[in-house]
Amino acid sequence: MLLGVEILVAADLIRTITSKPSIEDALILGLIVLIRTVLSMSIQIEIEGVLPWRKALLTSGAQVLGDAVARDRAASVAASAAPAETDV
């Protein structure tokens, strides 16, 4: 659905630029962009489960970096603990 709205925005933008611009065309384009913004935000909230501006407050850069380091460390420990395969 979001891709369809993106295509509509692009088509309307091209039509507005190539034809004689009018206030009505600009208002229609503005309305389409507003609808696209609302849809994008609602889909992002649905996927992540948190408002976009709240996500930055919930996780700091240091926390994200620490999580990445912990995942890498766990992966390397698991790889070194796995028994080596030998040809028989």
Side-chain angles (χ1 to χ4, degrees):
M1 184 158 68
L2 193 57
L3 180 62
V5 175
E6 290 287 343
I7 292 170
L8 284 175
V9 168
D12 208 21
L13 184 61
I14 291 170
R15 185 181 61 144
T16 302
I17 291 172
T18 58
S19 67
K20 184 178 178 185
S22 69
I23 295 295
E24 182 180 337
D25 289 339
L27 290 175
I28 290 172
L29 181 61
L31 181 63
I32 291 173
V33 169
L34 180 67
I35 291 169
R36 182 238 172 246
T37 303
V38 169
L39 283 174
S40 175
M41 287 182 63
S42 66
I43 290 172
Q44 185 176 1
I45 291 169
E46 186 74 27
I47 290 171
E48 296 177 359
V50 66
L51 298 170
W53 54 89
R54 297 285 298 161
K55 183 178 180 183
L57 296 175
L58 296 176
T59 57
S60 67
Q63 184 179 2
V64 171
L65 183 60
D67 291 344
V69 169
R71 277 193 307 271
D72 288 345
R73 185 176 296 144
S76 66
V77 167
S80 65
E85 292 183 22
T86 59
D87 291 335
V88 177

